[in-house]
Amino acid sequence: MEVFDDARQRVVLGHRRASTTPSPQVTDPRDTGPRNHQETLMSSPEQFAVEEISPSYWRVTFSNGEINLIDPDTTEQLAALITRIEEAPELTAVVFRSANPDFFMAHWDMRSDRSRVAAMKPASSGLHPFADNLYRLAKVPAATITEINGRARGAGSEFVLATDIRFAGPGAILGQFEVGVGSVPGGNPTGRLPRLLGRGRALEILLGADDFPADLAAAYGYVNRVVAAGELEAFVDGFARRVAGFDKVAVARTKSLVDVESLPTPESYGASLQAFFQTSGRPENAHRIRSLFERGLQRPDGVELDLGRCLAE
């Protein structure tokens, strides 16, 4: 009944061997219903399209299916992209954006191949590649900036939290809905959100499992600011070009000092993922997942549009 039993046995804390999977929303495969809709389409061959504006400035656009789900292909492709960013000698600023105006990164694909994720070999940090991606992305020497249009929940929220600077359009929605389906978030928002927002607001987001629209997200510090409709792309591009025009050594060294004071430890990623494995896929929560799929989970016209409210129904 439990999901990824073999992987759970390999989860450890810290730099030792660890196997983890994205926090968002895994359930018993027997309880998700027939795979007969477009949400089960194959992943895009190339999910991250990189535009090298200049040696010091790249723009990366994510695209994967109808609602930009995150899946095992995403994990593998993101790992390769992060390595590419780390190794680019002049790269100073990277913007991450979405090809879908309604979904930045919806969440983890709950019908993806769980055995494939469980079988992924730990990275050099000792973390499973999904967790390692988030840990490494936060520490790349370039400044990482997210241009958030649409929804970023679960693993999508965890991705934007791993970036340095988050700008949102007025229609952006963020959230960590895992507790609402009976799981502990595994991508370490429990380590990131308290540092950004404080304990009380972090717990409101994590335990309430609700949607946070752009204005409220900005007021809480979940995102840096909200940019007016139609102006987000130009604003982010201008900011990125400004940073990219500065000396890379100064940018990277400044960022590394801030990292020391503000980023979660690798041990906390292990603890978060271990908690996810211990709580996800329990039979007492199968009805919650089944109900969401019946109402259109992972479809662009279903509960994804108002997931926070629908969780409590």
Side-chain angles (χ1 to χ4, degrees), residues 74-111:
T74 314
T75 300
E76 293 176 352
Q77 292 182 29
L78 181 58
L81 175 59
I82 293 171
T83 298
R84 186 174 165 189
I85 291 170
E86 291 170 335
E87 295 176 351
E90 299 179 49
L91 185 59
T92 309
V94 181
V95 170
F96 289 96
R97 56 207 298 266
S98 169
N100 187 328
D102 297 318
F103 295 92
F104 179 83
M105 289 180 170
H107 51 76
W108 182 257
D109 182 355
M110 296 166 66
R111 289 178 168 170

Short mmCIF file of all heavy atoms in Angstrom, two decimals, residues 74-111:
data_model
loop_
_atom_site.label_atom_id
_atom_site.label_comp_id
_atom_site.label_asym_id
_atom_site.label_seq_id
_atom_site.Cartn_x
_atom_site.Cartn_y
_atom_site.Cartn_z
N THR A 74 11.64 16.09 -15.50
CA THR A 74 11.99 17.41 -14.99
C THR A 74 13.19 17.32 -14.06
O THR A 74 14.13 18.13 -14.14
CB THR A 74 10.80 18.02 -14.21
OG1 THR A 74 9.59 17.86 -14.94
CG2 THR A 74 11.04 19.50 -13.95
N THR A 75 13.16 16.34 -13.17
CA THR A 75 14.25 16.17 -12.21
C THR A 75 15.57 15.96 -12.92
O THR A 75 16.59 16.59 -12.59
CB THR A 75 13.94 14.99 -11.28
OG1 THR A 75 12.73 15.24 -10.57
CG2 THR A 75 15.07 14.76 -10.29
N GLU A 76 15.58 15.09 -13.91
CA GLU A 76 16.83 14.80 -14.62
C GLU A 76 17.30 15.98 -15.46
O GLU A 76 18.49 16.31 -15.48
CB GLU A 76 16.63 13.55 -15.49
CG GLU A 76 16.41 12.28 -14.67
CD GLU A 76 16.12 11.07 -15.52
OE1 GLU A 76 15.92 11.23 -16.75
OE2 GLU A 76 16.08 9.95 -14.97
N GLN A 77 16.36 16.63 -16.14
CA GLN A 77 16.75 17.76 -16.98
C GLN A 77 17.19 18.96 -16.15
O GLN A 77 18.11 19.68 -16.53
CB GLN A 77 15.59 18.15 -17.89
CG GLN A 77 15.27 17.10 -18.94
CD GLN A 77 14.15 17.52 -19.87
OE1 GLN A 77 13.94 18.70 -20.12
NE2 GLN A 77 13.42 16.55 -20.40
N LEU A 78 16.55 19.17 -15.00
CA LEU A 78 16.95 20.29 -14.14
C LEU A 78 18.34 20.06 -13.57
O LEU A 78 19.14 21.00 -13.46
CB LEU A 78 15.94 20.49 -13.02
CG LEU A 78 16.23 21.65 -12.06
CD1 LEU A 78 16.34 22.97 -12.80
CD2 LEU A 78 15.16 21.72 -10.97
N ALA A 79 18.66 18.83 -13.21
CA ALA A 79 20.01 18.53 -12.70
C ALA A 79 21.06 18.90 -13.73
O ALA A 79 22.09 19.51 -13.40
CB ALA A 79 20.11 17.06 -12.32
N ALA A 80 20.81 18.54 -14.99
CA ALA A 80 21.76 18.87 -16.05
C ALA A 80 21.85 20.38 -16.27
O ALA A 80 22.94 20.93 -16.49
CB ALA A 80 21.35 18.18 -17.35
N LEU A 81 20.72 21.07 -16.17
CA LEU A 81 20.71 22.52 -16.35
C LEU A 81 21.48 23.21 -15.23
O LEU A 81 22.24 24.15 -15.48
CB LEU A 81 19.27 23.03 -16.40
CG LEU A 81 19.10 24.55 -16.45
CD1 LEU A 81 19.78 25.13 -17.68
CD2 LEU A 81 17.61 24.91 -16.43
N ILE A 82 21.30 22.76 -14.01
CA ILE A 82 22.02 23.37 -12.89
C ILE A 82 23.53 23.20 -13.06
O ILE A 82 24.30 24.14 -12.81
CB ILE A 82 21.53 22.78 -11.55
CG1 ILE A 82 20.08 23.21 -11.29
CG2 ILE A 82 22.42 23.25 -10.40
CD1 ILE A 82 19.43 22.51 -10.13
N THR A 83 23.94 22.02 -13.50
CA THR A 83 25.36 21.82 -13.77
C THR A 83 25.86 22.80 -14.84
O THR A 83 26.93 23.39 -14.71
CB THR A 83 25.62 20.38 -14.23
OG1 THR A 83 25.25 19.48 -13.18
CG2 THR A 83 27.08 20.17 -14.60
N ARG A 84 25.06 22.97 -15.86
CA ARG A 84 25.41 23.92 -16.93
C ARG A 84 25.54 25.35 -16.39
O ARG A 84 26.46 26.09 -16.75
CB ARG A 84 24.34 23.85 -18.01
CG ARG A 84 24.60 24.64 -19.26
CD ARG A 84 23.51 24.35 -20.28
NE ARG A 84 23.52 25.33 -21.36
CZ ARG A 84 22.58 25.42 -22.29
NH1 ARG A 84 21.57 24.55 -22.29
NH2 ARG A 84 22.65 26.35 -23.23
N ILE A 85 24.63 25.73 -15.49
CA ILE A 85 24.69 27.06 -14.88
C ILE A 85 25.94 27.18 -14.02
O ILE A 85 26.65 28.20 -14.06
CB ILE A 85 23.42 27.31 -14.05
CG1 ILE A 85 22.20 27.46 -14.97
CG2 ILE A 85 23.57 28.55 -13.16
CD1 ILE A 85 20.88 27.48 -14.24
N GLU A 86 26.22 26.16 -13.23
CA GLU A 86 27.39 26.19 -12.36
C GLU A 86 28.69 26.35 -13.14
O GLU A 86 29.64 26.98 -12.67
CB GLU A 86 27.45 24.90 -11.53
CG GLU A 86 26.36 24.77 -10.49
CD GLU A 86 26.32 23.39 -9.86
OE1 GLU A 86 26.77 22.42 -10.51
OE2 GLU A 86 25.82 23.27 -8.73
N GLU A 87 28.72 25.75 -14.33
CA GLU A 87 29.97 25.71 -15.10
C GLU A 87 30.12 26.86 -16.09
O GLU A 87 31.18 26.97 -16.73
CB GLU A 87 30.06 24.38 -15.84
CG GLU A 87 30.17 23.18 -14.89
CD GLU A 87 30.16 21.85 -15.62
OE1 GLU A 87 29.91 21.84 -16.84
OE2 GLU A 87 30.42 20.82 -14.96
N ALA A 88 29.12 27.72 -16.25
CA ALA A 88 29.21 28.84 -17.18
C ALA A 88 30.07 29.94 -16.56
O ALA A 88 29.67 30.55 -15.56
CB ALA A 88 27.82 29.37 -17.51
N PRO A 89 31.24 30.23 -17.11
CA PRO A 89 32.21 31.08 -16.41
C PRO A 89 31.77 32.53 -16.22
O PRO A 89 32.16 33.17 -15.24
CB PRO A 89 33.46 31.00 -17.29
CG PRO A 89 32.95 30.61 -18.64
CD PRO A 89 31.77 29.73 -18.39
N GLU A 90 30.96 33.07 -17.14
CA GLU A 90 30.57 34.47 -17.05
C GLU A 90 29.13 34.68 -16.59
O GLU A 90 28.70 35.81 -16.38
CB GLU A 90 30.77 35.15 -18.41
CG GLU A 90 32.20 35.16 -18.91
CD GLU A 90 32.32 35.83 -20.27
OE1 GLU A 90 31.79 36.94 -20.43
OE2 GLU A 90 32.93 35.24 -21.17
N LEU A 91 28.38 33.60 -16.43
CA LEU A 91 26.95 33.72 -16.15
C LEU A 91 26.72 34.36 -14.78
O LEU A 91 27.20 33.86 -13.77
CB LEU A 91 26.29 32.34 -16.21
CG LEU A 91 24.77 32.32 -16.06
CD1 LEU A 91 24.10 33.15 -17.15
CD2 LEU A 91 24.28 30.87 -16.11
N THR A 92 25.94 35.43 -14.77
CA THR A 92 25.72 36.20 -13.55
C THR A 92 24.26 36.27 -13.16
O THR A 92 23.94 36.41 -11.98
CB THR A 92 26.26 37.64 -13.74
OG1 THR A 92 27.61 37.57 -14.23
CG2 THR A 92 26.25 38.43 -12.45
N ALA A 93 23.33 36.15 -14.12
CA ALA A 93 21.90 36.23 -13.82
C ALA A 93 21.14 35.24 -14.70
O ALA A 93 21.39 35.15 -15.90
CB ALA A 93 21.37 37.64 -14.03
N VAL A 94 20.20 34.52 -14.08
CA VAL A 94 19.35 33.56 -14.79
C VAL A 94 17.89 33.83 -14.42
O VAL A 94 17.55 33.88 -13.23
CB VAL A 94 19.70 32.11 -14.43
CG1 VAL A 94 18.82 31.13 -15.21
CG2 VAL A 94 21.17 31.82 -14.70
N VAL A 95 17.05 33.99 -15.43
CA VAL A 95 15.62 34.16 -15.21
C VAL A 95 14.91 32.85 -15.56
O VAL A 95 15.15 32.27 -16.62
CB VAL A 95 15.05 35.30 -16.07
CG1 VAL A 95 13.52 35.31 -16.04
CG2 VAL A 95 15.60 36.64 -15.61
N PHE A 96 14.04 32.40 -14.66
CA PHE A 96 13.18 31.24 -14.92
C PHE A 96 11.76 31.73 -15.13
O PHE A 96 11.23 32.50 -14.32
CB PHE A 96 13.21 30.26 -13.74
CG PHE A 96 14.51 29.53 -13.60
CD1 PHE A 96 15.49 29.99 -12.73
CD2 PHE A 96 14.77 28.38 -14.35
CE1 PHE A 96 16.69 29.32 -12.59
CE2 PHE A 96 15.98 27.70 -14.22
CZ PHE A 96 16.94 28.17 -13.34
N ARG A 97 11.15 31.28 -16.22
CA ARG A 97 9.79 31.70 -16.56
C ARG A 97 9.02 30.50 -17.10
O ARG A 97 9.57 29.42 -17.26
CB ARG A 97 9.83 32.85 -17.58
CG ARG A 97 10.59 32.54 -18.83
CD ARG A 97 11.18 33.81 -19.48
NE ARG A 97 10.15 34.74 -19.88
CZ ARG A 97 9.64 34.79 -21.11
NH1 ARG A 97 10.04 33.95 -22.05
NH2 ARG A 97 8.72 35.68 -21.42
N SER A 98 7.75 30.70 -17.39
CA SER A 98 6.89 29.61 -17.86
C SER A 98 6.30 29.94 -19.21
O SER A 98 5.97 31.10 -19.50
CB SER A 98 5.76 29.38 -16.85
OG SER A 98 4.78 28.52 -17.39
N ALA A 99 6.15 28.90 -20.03
CA ALA A 99 5.48 29.07 -21.32
C ALA A 99 3.97 29.12 -21.17
O ALA A 99 3.26 29.48 -22.10
CB ALA A 99 5.87 27.94 -22.27
N ASN A 100 3.46 28.76 -19.99
CA ASN A 100 2.03 28.69 -19.74
C ASN A 100 1.63 29.84 -18.81
O ASN A 100 2.07 29.89 -17.66
CB ASN A 100 1.67 27.35 -19.10
CG ASN A 100 0.19 27.12 -18.96
OD1 ASN A 100 -0.58 28.05 -18.77
ND2 ASN A 100 -0.22 25.87 -19.05
N PRO A 101 0.81 30.79 -19.27
CA PRO A 101 0.47 31.93 -18.42
C PRO A 101 -0.39 31.58 -17.21
O PRO A 101 -0.49 32.38 -16.27
CB PRO A 101 -0.29 32.86 -19.38
CG PRO A 101 -0.86 31.94 -20.42
CD PRO A 101 0.16 30.86 -20.59
N ASP A 102 -1.01 30.41 -17.21
CA ASP A 102 -1.88 30.03 -16.10
C ASP A 102 -1.20 29.11 -15.08
O ASP A 102 -1.68 29.00 -13.94
CB ASP A 102 -3.12 29.32 -16.63
CG ASP A 102 -3.96 30.22 -17.51
OD1 ASP A 102 -4.13 31.41 -17.16
OD2 ASP A 102 -4.44 29.75 -18.57
N PHE A 103 -0.13 28.45 -15.48
CA PHE A 103 0.57 27.52 -14.59
C PHE A 103 2.07 27.71 -14.74
O PHE A 103 2.65 27.34 -15.76
CB PHE A 103 0.18 26.07 -14.91
CG PHE A 103 -1.26 25.75 -14.64
CD1 PHE A 103 -2.21 25.88 -15.64
CD2 PHE A 103 -1.66 25.34 -13.38
CE1 PHE A 103 -3.54 25.60 -15.39
CE2 PHE A 103 -3.00 25.06 -13.12
CZ PHE A 103 -3.94 25.19 -14.13
N PHE A 104 2.69 28.28 -13.71
CA PHE A 104 4.15 28.40 -13.72
C PHE A 104 4.75 27.00 -13.61
O PHE A 104 5.45 26.54 -14.51
CB PHE A 104 4.62 29.29 -12.57
CG PHE A 104 6.12 29.44 -12.52
CD1 PHE A 104 6.76 30.37 -13.32
CD2 PHE A 104 6.88 28.65 -11.68
CE1 PHE A 104 8.15 30.50 -13.28
CE2 PHE A 104 8.26 28.77 -11.64
CZ PHE A 104 8.90 29.70 -12.44
N MET A 105 4.50 26.33 -12.52
CA MET A 105 4.78 24.91 -12.32
C MET A 105 3.67 24.41 -11.40
O MET A 105 3.64 24.77 -10.23
CB MET A 105 6.15 24.67 -11.68
CG MET A 105 7.33 24.95 -12.55
SD MET A 105 8.88 24.61 -11.65
CE MET A 105 10.07 24.73 -12.99
N ALA A 106 2.77 23.60 -11.93
CA ALA A 106 1.56 23.27 -11.17
C ALA A 106 1.89 22.55 -9.87
O ALA A 106 1.52 23.00 -8.78
CB ALA A 106 0.62 22.43 -12.02
N HIS A 107 2.57 21.43 -9.96
CA HIS A 107 2.99 20.62 -8.82
C HIS A 107 3.57 19.33 -9.39
O HIS A 107 3.69 19.17 -10.61
CB HIS A 107 1.83 20.31 -7.85
CG HIS A 107 0.60 19.74 -8.50
ND1 HIS A 107 0.50 18.42 -8.92
CD2 HIS A 107 -0.59 20.31 -8.80
CE1 HIS A 107 -0.69 18.20 -9.44
NE2 HIS A 107 -1.38 19.33 -9.40
N TRP A 108 3.94 18.40 -8.53
CA TRP A 108 4.45 17.11 -8.99
C TRP A 108 3.34 16.32 -9.67
O TRP A 108 2.17 16.36 -9.26
CB TRP A 108 5.00 16.31 -7.80
CG TRP A 108 5.58 14.98 -8.18
CD1 TRP A 108 5.01 13.76 -8.03
CD2 TRP A 108 6.85 14.75 -8.81
NE1 TRP A 108 5.84 12.77 -8.52
CE2 TRP A 108 6.98 13.36 -9.00
CE3 TRP A 108 7.89 15.60 -9.20
CZ2 TRP A 108 8.11 12.79 -9.57
CZ3 TRP A 108 9.01 15.02 -9.78
CH2 TRP A 108 9.12 13.64 -9.96
N ASP A 109 3.71 15.59 -10.73
CA ASP A 109 2.76 14.73 -11.44
C ASP A 109 2.47 13.51 -10.58
O ASP A 109 3.29 12.61 -10.44
CB ASP A 109 3.34 14.33 -12.79
CG ASP A 109 2.39 13.47 -13.61
OD1 ASP A 109 1.30 13.11 -13.09
OD2 ASP A 109 2.72 13.17 -14.77
N MET A 110 1.28 13.44 -10.04
CA MET A 110 0.93 12.38 -9.10
C MET A 110 0.72 11.04 -9.77
O MET A 110 0.53 10.02 -9.10
CB MET A 110 -0.31 12.80 -8.31
CG MET A 110 -0.03 14.01 -7.45
SD MET A 110 -1.50 14.81 -6.79
CE MET A 110 -2.10 13.54 -5.69
N ARG A 111 0.73 11.01 -11.09
CA ARG A 111 0.64 9.75 -11.82
C ARG A 111 1.94 9.41 -12.54
O ARG A 111 1.95 8.58 -13.44
CB ARG A 111 -0.53 9.82 -12.81
CG ARG A 111 -1.88 9.78 -12.10
CD ARG A 111 -3.02 9.89 -13.08
NE ARG A 111 -4.29 9.57 -12.41
CZ ARG A 111 -5.47 9.76 -12.97
NH1 ARG A 111 -5.57 10.26 -14.18
NH2 ARG A 111 -6.57 9.45 -12.32
#
